[in-house]
Amino acid sequence: MMEFLASVFGSSNYWFIVVRSTAPILLVTLGAVITEQAGIKNMALEGSMLWAALTGVLASAWTGSPWIGLAAGVAAGVAIALVLGLFALKLDANAVLVGIALNLLSTGGTVFVLFSITGDKGISSSLPSKVLPMVSVPLLRDIPWLGKVLSGQNLIVYLAAAAVVVIHVILNKLTIGRRIRATGENVEAARAAGIDPDRIKFFTLIVSGVLAGLAGCFLSMGYTSNFTSGISAGRGYVANAAQVVAGGTAVGSIFAALIFGVTDALATFLQSRGLPPELIQALPYAVTILGFVVVTLVRDRREAARKLRLFAGRDDR
Amino acid sequence: MSDGTRTKTLPGKVGLFFTNRDALEPALVTLFAAVFSLLAGVGLIFLVSKEPAQSARNFLLGPFLRTYNIYYMMIAMVPLTFTGLALCIIYQSKHMSLIVDSSFYIGAVVATAAGIHVALPAGWHPAFAMLAAGITGGFIGLLPAILKIRWRANELVSSLMLNYVFYFVGSFVILYFLRDRNQTILSSLPFRNTFLLPRLIPNTQLHAGFIVAAVFVVLVSVFLYRTKWGYEIRMIGANQKFAAYAGLSVPTVILYSHFVSGFLGGMGGAIEMAGLYKAFIWQMNPSYAWDGVIVAMLARKNPKFVPLSAFFLAYMRVGADFMSRRGDVAFEFITLLQGLIILILASDKIVNYFKARRLQRTALARTAEARAAGAPAGGAE
């Protein structure tokens, strides 16, 4: 077993799969991070991904262009996020309940639409949908081992990497980032400072919708080349847990998404070793909860230690 | 809230209910949500179906057109009642956990094991399985509560994640320990005959679980509104900080509310197995917990209204099923309507629309009065 694991972790093929399965989680985790920073929980990321995955497939099949598919998919992701914003911010609904409603509506609704169009409830393979291109990165592909891992991935994988930078810049370098954090910290104080909290929250929801839309399109137009029912497989929920692991930062999201990616990819490899697939499929979710617990534990310890120092009058910050 | 109105309206309850606008208006909005979702459903049918009139008729009237559909509705009410009751308890404590989904599924798995391997006389056998499934479900229900109390993990997020884990673990147990290898389709070994619940009416599938569900509606109502434990659950739901200052041990209340809720879920799963099947044949998780959310919301978190809302949901399910078998509209379209119901009922601005308008009007009238009386800026401004 040990040498099997060693051979897996040494192979560039494994890490290629890790990067591929990390990318969609990373995108939605970033979406969860930015809304959470503004103090609104986007539980509908799962729904955004599902509709994006389906819309992407439908639009690309009708127009013959993966790019129009991508644009339509992202628009669908944003639409779901906006519905959440409409109900949660304008109609005073509990954002979490709205999220539950939207996810319920999306799991069945996507199947309903798929069936109404293709007559099939499981898969969209009868539609001539397009896939987003793989990108072979010059220079990077020539690096011996690393090139095989990082080059030749789907375009969205690189967009996910770019998204980390974009979200990091938004949150830490721009005025809007300060406003986002102010809103998340204290709505009243933010309002007193002349910020419109609803506008800020809508902005973060739109960003999270775009990110979830990209992730959804990746699943049906890259990771696989079809829409299948329940294609997002709880990744939107995982993102909400990973967001905590990420500590609310863009860079932390890479780490948090990798936890899922590494176990998810490992599951694929372990399955070939004849271990029960059911238990292996449970692994990524179990590990995410574990990561979630460990991180909150560490954070609480640190917080407690800081408070102790404060009480002792030795705040050396 | 409802306790306060109850004492006030004791003489002549019915008459006063219609004059008590605080109680009447939310009830009307709930009714509106239900009717509106059905209308939206008809709209959807006209959008996608080639024979819309026939499909709409099958959807709306189908459940009442055939006697077996009426029994079918009653059967469908049983699991919805259990998950609905379970979620009433969770929502009364203002928590959001959806772990009942796991409790229900694992409850069914535990009941399967008991139904195959335990030898007990009829009557005792399903009772034992329900208890075992309930206790297992209860402990599963505790997990998000523990994660919340100990590590402040959001219970909805952790429960959704755990639902995946338990689903995979459950199907692993069925496949590797309980599977009937002589069957080509996925099925557990057959249950012993003693495990099966008696039929209430011969030649129908209506089973004794319907009565058990009815009993539990009463039990949970009493538990929530007539016992100290139920009062404590509602108290932390109303104001957790206040409850803590009043000397309640909030973690303890969270723990037992989640246990009871998980217990109900587990029992529901066991009853479904003993009542309807001869072996475990679920290829997927039926996910009754998500329907339970709507049942609890339509019942306004009050167990005594759960049968009514479970009936409504069963009506929608049976109607959609009847329609999808006879036409070109997929069964899944009801999730769109269900989502719509939650969206409407979750929106405080919609639910409290009349009340807000009334309050605004009184406030304006008072201001006008004060102005007319020439009173200096007192309470009005």
Side-chain angles (χ1 to χ4, degrees):
Chain A
M1 192 66 200
M2 277 329 276
E3 66 221 65
F4 168 71
L5 284 179
S7 78
V8 165
F9 286 128
S11 85
S12 59
N13 192 10
Y14 169 73
W15 289 103
F16 182 85
I17 297 179
V18 168
V19 172
R20 203 180 60 170
S21 36
T22 303
I25 288 288
L26 178 57
L27 282 166
V28 264
T29 305
L30 289 169
V33 163
I34 192 167
T35 55
E36 196 83 24
Q37 288 290 301
I40 179 163
K41 201 176 229 0
N42 186 355
M43 281 302 302
L45 289 165
E46 181 82 0
S48 280
M49 283 174 95
L50 279 167
W51 284 111
L54 178 65
T55 314
V57 161
L58 293 178
S60 78
W62 284 334
T63 61
S65 153
W67 306 112
I68 298 181
L70 182 66
V74 168
V78 171
I80 292 292
L82 285 178
V83 172
L84 183 117
L86 172 72
F87 277 91
L89 301 173
K90 295 293 170 203
L91 295 170
D92 291 353
N94 179 328
V96 172
L97 271 178
V98 176
I100 291 181
L102 288 174
N103 290 333
L104 177 68
L105 178 156
S106 306
T107 16
T110 47
V111 174
F112 167 69
V113 171
L114 181 69
F115 178 80
S116 300
I117 291 169
T118 67
D120 192 308
K121 281 189 184 178
I123 188 161
S124 70
S125 50
S126 62
L127 295 170
S129 63
K130 298 284 178 283
V131 241
L132 294 160
M134 307 284 190
V135 181
S136 180
V137 189
L139 292 179
L140 191 63
R141 66 173 170 229
D142 300 328
I143 307 171
W145 185 84
L146 209 59
K148 276 190 193 153
V149 174
L150 295 178
S151 181
Q153 296 275 9
N154 192 286
L155 174 76
I156 304 266
V157 175
Y158 303 103
L159 286 182
V164 176
V165 180
V166 171
I167 300 297
H168 179 80
V169 168
I170 289 182
L171 283 178
N172 299 303
K173 306 280 180 227
L174 301 180
T175 324
I176 184 100
R178 269 208 303 281
R179 293 198 175 142
I180 289 172
R181 275 177 288 134
T183 309
E185 199 74 42
N186 188 329
V187 175
E188 290 311 318
R191 196 172 280 137
I195 300 169
D196 179 353
D198 282 2
R199 243 169 112 178
I200 298 292
K201 286 179 179 174
F202 264 114
F203 171 75
T204 62
L205 282 172
I206 291 171
V207 174
S208 77
V210 170
L211 294 166
L214 288 172
C217 288
F218 175 56
L219 292 179
S220 64
M221 303 166 70
Y223 197 86
T224 64
S225 51
N226 287 302
F227 175 84
T228 44
S229 65
I231 193 169
S232 49
R235 286 183 178 84
Y237 307 138
V238 170
N240 279 292
Q243 174 273 127
V244 179
V245 180
T249 65
V251 181
S253 304
I254 304 179
F255 167 71
L258 265 175
I259 295 181
F260 186 89
V262 164
T263 30
D264 195 32
L266 191 62
T268 329
F269 273 75
L270 285 174
Q271 215 149 329
S272 64
R273 291 277 293 185
L275 286 160
E278 287 75 22
L279 290 187
I280 292 166
Q281 279 174 297
L283 206 61
Y285 304 98
V287 170
T288 307
I289 298 178
L290 204 67
F292 186 57
V293 167
V294 169
V295 166
T296 32
L297 194 67
V298 170
R299 199 182 51 194
D300 284 3
R301 283 261 165 83
R302 247 190 236 155
E303 186 69 9
R306 197 177 72 84
K307 275 189 185 147
L308 268 180
R309 276 205 308 278
L310 274 173
F311 272 123
R314 284 185 281 116
D315 189 20
D316 40 22
R317 279 209 307 166
Chain B
M1 174 72 208
S2 75
D3 269 1
T5 48
R6 184 192 307 270
T7 42
K8 233 190 294 172
T9 57
L10 254 177
K13 250 184 196 168
V14 179
L16 278 170
F17 177 76
F18 288 106
T19 50
N20 181 359
R21 300 180 111 187
D22 280 345
L24 180 67
E25 286 162 1
L28 280 180
V29 173
T30 311
L31 194 69
F32 159 78
V35 173
F36 183 74
S37 74
L38 290 180
L39 290 178
V42 172
L44 266 178
I45 292 171
F46 272 84
L47 210 61
V48 301
S49 178
K50 287 199 184 71
E51 301 171 312
Q54 187 59 33
S55 288
R57 196 181 90 101
N58 283 342
F59 172 54
L60 293 177
L61 302 176
F64 302 109
L65 289 178
R66 302 271 195 284
T67 338
Y68 62 78
N69 271 350
I70 293 172
Y71 291 123
Y72 190 18
M73 273 196 286
M74 292 171 81
I75 297 163
M77 278 174 70
V78 177
L80 297 174
T81 303
F82 276 99
T83 52
L85 288 174
L87 279 153
C88 278
I89 294 176
I90 294 283
Y91 285 171
Q92 285 276 10
S93 74
K94 274 246 172 69
H95 281 73
M96 287 284 175
S97 160
L98 263 175
I99 194 71
V100 175
D101 204 33
S102 294
S103 300
F104 191 92
Y105 187 76
I106 297 295
V109 173
V110 168
T112 302
I116 296 168
H117 291 304
V118 179
L120 279 170
W124 292 105
H125 195 176
F128 167 79
M130 282 176 215
L131 193 67
I135 290 171
T136 318
F139 279 111
I140 290 173
L142 282 180
L143 291 176
I146 294 170
L147 286 169
K148 164 109 180 186
I149 294 162
R150 186 69 187 76
W151 290 292
R152 284 186 293 140
N154 179 293
E155 73 279 7
L156 179 64
V157 173
S158 61
S159 67
L160 288 168
M161 213 77 56
L162 285 167
N163 283 346
Y164 280 93
V165 175
F166 279 112
Y167 168 66
F168 288 122
V169 170
S171 46
F172 165 74
V173 171
I174 294 287
L175 269 172
Y176 284 78
F177 300 109
L178 302 169
R179 181 168 187 185
D180 186 350
R181 294 188 191 277
N182 298 323
Q183 298 269 4
T184 44
I185 54 154
L186 174 73
S187 159
S188 76
L189 293 161
F191 300 143
R192 287 164 191 253
N193 280 334
T194 48
F195 177 66
L196 307 176
L197 286 175
R199 299 266 183 268
L200 293 182
I201 298 169
N203 299 325
T204 69
Q205 280 207 305
L206 187 63
H207 53 83
F210 189 78
I211 307 227
V212 182
V215 170
F216 267 86
V217 169
V218 178
L219 286 180
V220 174
S221 298
V222 171
F223 172 75
L224 265 180
Y225 286 99
R226 290 279 181 275
T227 67
K228 170 176 158 280
W229 303 291
Y231 181 70
E232 287 177 351
I233 290 173
R234 287 184 294 128
M235 200 165 161
I236 69 161
N239 190 336
Q240 192 164 319
K241 278 194 183 140
F242 177 77
Y245 285 131
L248 277 187
S249 164
V250 174
T252 317
V253 182
I254 296 178
L255 283 177
Y256 72 67
S257 62
H258 276 77
F259 183 86
V260 173
S261 147
F263 186 91
L264 290 167
M267 281 215 45
I271 288 178
E272 197 69 353
M273 280 297 122
L276 283 182
Y277 300 99
K278 295 194 162 57
F280 185 100
I281 50 164
W282 285 345
Q283 313 285 335
M284 297 163 73
N285 186 348
S287 292
Y288 283 118
W290 292 80
D291 300 277
V293 173
I294 308 156
V295 173
M297 287 187 77
L298 280 173
R300 305 186 56 77
K301 301 186 248 177
N302 189 337
K304 76 178 174 211
F305 296 126
V306 161
L308 200 64
S309 55
F311 172 76
F312 177 71
L313 229 64
Y315 160 74
M316 269 171 79
R317 283 184 89 107
V318 172
D321 189 50
F322 191 72
M323 171 193 69
S324 68
R325 281 170 201 280
R326 280 169 179 70
D328 52 357
V329 185
F331 173 79
E332 281 78 4
F333 101 117
I334 60 164
T335 61
L336 288 168
L337 315 187
Q338 293 176 334
L340 196 62
I341 294 179
I342 306 184
L343 285 179
I344 295 174
L345 294 182
S347 303
D348 286 349
K349 274 228 176 105
I350 300 180
V351 175
N352 296 327
Y353 173 74
F354 295 109
K355 190 178 179 184
R357 221 177 49 167
R358 212 152 21 92
L359 288 178
Q360 196 185 14
R361 229 186 268 146
T362 5
L364 284 176
R366 272 199 203 136
T367 322
E369 248 169 53
R371 284 239 179 82
E381 293 280 319

